[in-house]
Amino acid sequence: MLDEKLQPIFADVLRRNPGEEEFHQAVREVLDSLGAVIAKHPHYAENALIERICEPERQIIFRVPWVDDHGKVHINRGFRVQFNSALGPYKGGLRFHPTVYLGTIKFLGFEQTFKNALTGMPIGGGKGGSDFDPKGRSDAEIMRFCQSFMTELYRHLGEYTDVPAGDIGVGGREIGYMFGQYKRITNRYESGVLTGKGLAWGGSQVRTEATGYGATYFVERMLQTRKQGFDGKKVIVSGAGNVAIYTIEKVTELGGRVIACSDSSGYVVDEAGIDLALLKEIKEQRRGRIADYAKARGNAAKFVPEGRIWDVPAEVAMPSATQNELNGQDARTLVKNGLIAIGEGANMPSTPEAVQTFLKAGVLFAPGKAANAGGVATSALEMQQNASRDSWTFEATEERLATIMHNIHDRCAEMADTYGSPGNYVLGANVAGFIRVAEAMRALGIV
Ligand code: NDP
């Protein structure tokens, strides 16, 4: 039940943002955690601070025209939502996926604001993207699209203003094309304007791996609170993109056995443990489908088209594909099959019903805004290296990432204790993120 002081705020969010269901869901989840905070510290509800946190500072929507390889002109829609800059320049990824609309970007930008606050680093929250579908497009088409997208977006960016990175459908290749266009238009080699760059031209070690590695560190720390680790545990990881691949890599390194992963066409089960070299070859080089993995493994793996990966029994689950990919029924199945812990690599992958199911069952639950913060934290480390024209070793950078993830875990656990819900990392993450943003907003006045 939402605190009565927060009810009119949420009603206003629904009224002002019609039809944006994911955004409503993300706001509701945070507001659900704030009742205890404003009861203890009423000043956080003064000067419409919470209303301001729910309203993006700026929302940009633009046309992205581009020409395909056959000379046909296409029009997509580009977005950048600059949500909150109380803690630093807007920071958050760009998503290219046909389902993207303003509500997607707003939910992601809202989540990003608290996630970035949780890292303890000086970065505000933003998110962007397009309804462009990169699947099946040639390299040249991807390049032309990225160039057209950046031709409008560049005027809203800057290393002290807004610093995008990748997300679904945007990896090193796309960041390269966008950086090239930004450099050309502005005539500035402004490395700090985008993160997720290639190692040869301003990128940081560990950025590619950071979200998956970070989520794994977070879950490891959670398991330690019950005197357990990944060693010998069966793990399932949804998705087969950037976050999923590096989650599989780190879980395997820590002794876990990842037996299933997926893409939007279905999932594969490989009881011996996913062959990561093969998966990387198919997904990172060939840009193929997950069925190709099962084909290449012969009888050792099976492909289940259109199925629910959550039907595969496991002790740890790491949803790493997309929002609302795990529903209440999936959660009940996982709990029945003996799930101990869940770490959200993706943003908001569990529906509210699924989250409640996990919390009620006493499953260790790491919400995305805490568990997947390693990506943006390492992006902030990339910005630090760019600002000082330095580059750090893989080992030093990974150590920073591990420390950041452990600190986020401990801060969430501490806040959950303080606000009367020990072990509830959802509440802990929302409260810890909120307090940091709110303190800065109070200091900066009504802006
Ligand atoms: P990628 O594009 O690299 O991979 C996405 C994976 O998820 C693909 O396997 C894709 O399958 C699958 N997927 C995407 N959309 C859907 C859908 N609607 N239904 C089913 N499967 C889907 O993206 P990332 O790995 O970068 O991102 C995954 C998640 O992690 C997202 O929620 C993102 O916001 C979040 N995240 C990413 C960070 C990063 O650093 N990259 C940082 C923090 C969070 P297919 O190829 O078939 O579409």
Side-chain angles (χ1 to χ4, degrees):
M1 190 58 186
L2 194 54
D3 183 279
E4 65 173 21
K5 283 208 187 76
L6 298 169
Q7 284 174 14
I9 299 178
F10 186 58
D12 220 33
V13 168
L14 296 178
R15 184 183 61 77
R16 290 162 70 86
N17 305 279
E20 297 176 357
E21 283 169 23
E22 299 87 347
F23 180 54
H24 303 162
Q25 183 183 334
V27 172
R28 174 68 199 237
E29 191 214 272
V30 170
L31 294 185
D32 273 339
S33 301
L34 296 187
V37 181
I38 58 169
K40 203 164 173 174
H41 305 290
H43 59 267
Y44 286 133
E46 287 167 8
N47 291 328
L49 190 144
I50 299 173
E51 289 88 331
R52 280 187 284 140
I53 267 190
C54 295
E55 181 72 13
E57 290 175 13
R58 192 173 295 107
Q59 305 179 53
I60 302 149
I61 304 181
F62 52 99
R63 180 172 71 199
V64 190
W66 58 282
V67 184
D68 71 17
D69 288 346
H70 309 287
K72 185 170 179 241
V73 177
H74 297 257
I75 305 291
N76 283 101
R77 192 169 280 180
F79 303 92
R80 187 72 184 165
V81 173
Q82 299 180 328
F83 221 107
N84 193 303
S85 61
L87 291 172
Y90 309 105
K91 181 89 200 85
L94 298 170
R95 175 176 294 191
F96 292 168
H97 195 273
T99 58
V100 164
Y101 75 112
L102 185 61
T104 321
I105 303 300
K106 274 162 76 175
F107 114 68
L108 289 164
F110 182 78
E111 291 268 299
Q112 192 83 44
T113 300
F114 301 101
K115 177 189 315 193
N116 293 4
L118 279 173
T119 66
M121 294 163 121
I123 41 180
K127 202 83 189 189
S130 173
D131 57 1
F132 171 68
D133 187 358
K135 263 199 209 92
R137 290 292 170 196
S138 70
D139 251 15
E141 289 173 325
I142 298 282
M143 181 179 77
R144 287 195 294 276
F145 177 81
C146 289
Q147 290 175 339
S148 181
F149 184 80
M150 188 50 92
T151 300
E152 170 58 32
L153 187 63
Y154 90 94
R155 70 188 85 245
H156 308 290
L157 306 183
E159 61 190 338
Y160 294 103
T161 308
D162 186 349
V163 183
D167 190 81
I168 291 177
V170 177
R173 172 180 63 167
E174 292 75 17
I175 294 291
Y177 293 146
M178 286 190 270
F179 183 69
Q181 185 73 348
Y182 183 88
K183 181 176 80 62
R184 186 181 191 196
I185 296 173
T186 59
N187 194 29
R188 279 164 64 84
Y189 204 108
E190 192 183 331
S191 299
V193 75
L194 283 171
T195 58
K197 298 181 294 295
L199 292 178
W201 43 278
S204 172
Q205 296 283 357
V206 196
R207 176 60 189 90
T208 305
E209 296 83 356
T211 307
Y213 278 21
T216 309
Y217 284 133
F218 193 104
V219 173
E220 186 193 30
R221 189 86 162 179
M222 257 187 352
L223 288 169
Q224 281 166 0
T225 65
R226 296 201 184 158
K227 311 248 174 304
Q228 298 193 41
F230 271 106
D231 208 18
K233 291 215 165 48
K234 274 193 189 184
V235 182
I236 50 181
V237 178
S238 66
N242 171 271
V243 178
I245 284 177
Y246 293 96
T247 297
I248 297 171
E249 184 162 289
K250 187 51 78 179
V251 166
T252 309
E253 205 181 299
L254 295 177
R257 181 155 53 96
V258 180
I259 54 166
C261 65
S262 64
D263 65 16
S264 59
S265 60
Y267 68 89
V268 291
V269 183
D270 189 336
E271 286 291 340
I274 296 290
D275 177 341
L276 195 58
L278 176 62
L279 185 69
K280 281 187 182 177
E281 205 252 310
I282 291 168
K283 284 294 179 183
E284 294 185 333
Q285 284 160 37
R286 276 196 261 156
R287 297 182 191 272
R289 308 303 297 153
I290 202 70
D292 301 341
Y293 176 92
K295 227 178 276 163
R297 291 279 290 146
N299 291 333
K302 80 168 179 207
F303 171 59
V304 183
E306 308 291 329
R308 310 287 300 163
I309 189 174
W310 316 117
D311 292 341
V312 180
E315 290 148 295
V316 181
M318 311 271 291
S320 307
T322 194
Q323 65 272 9
N324 292 328
E325 56 168 310
L326 196 167
N327 62 32
Q329 183 53 49
D330 298 325
R332 286 188 287 278
T333 306
L334 284 163
V335 169
K336 179 169 70 67
N337 287 339
L339 189 79
I340 299 169
I342 179 148
E344 293 189 327
N347 284 310
M348 211 170 73
S350 311
T351 64
E353 190 192 350
V355 177
Q356 287 315 314
T357 305
F358 292 132
L359 293 178
K360 275 197 199 114
V363 168
L364 291 165
F365 180 81
K369 67 169 77 66
N372 70 34
V376 74
T378 310
S379 276
L381 299 179
E382 184 172 332
M383 291 162 74
Q384 278 184 31
Q385 292 168 79
N386 294 150
S388 57
R389 306 206 182 286
D390 196 2
S391 60
W392 310 338
T393 62
F394 193 96
E395 291 70 26
T397 318
E398 193 183 355
E399 209 177 299
R400 291 280 304 264
L401 169 65
T403 306
I404 290 167
M405 294 315 297
H406 291 162
N407 289 343
I408 295 175
H409 170 277
D410 295 356
R411 175 95 178 124
C412 294
E414 180 198 325
M415 283 292 127
D417 284 349
T418 307
Y419 288 92
S421 198
N424 183 342
Y425 292 90
V426 177
L427 183 115
N430 287 335
V431 172
F434 170 79
I435 288 178
R436 186 157 181 249
V437 178
E439 280 300 326
M441 286 178 70
R442 273 162 48 80
L444 300 186
I446 300 172
V447 291

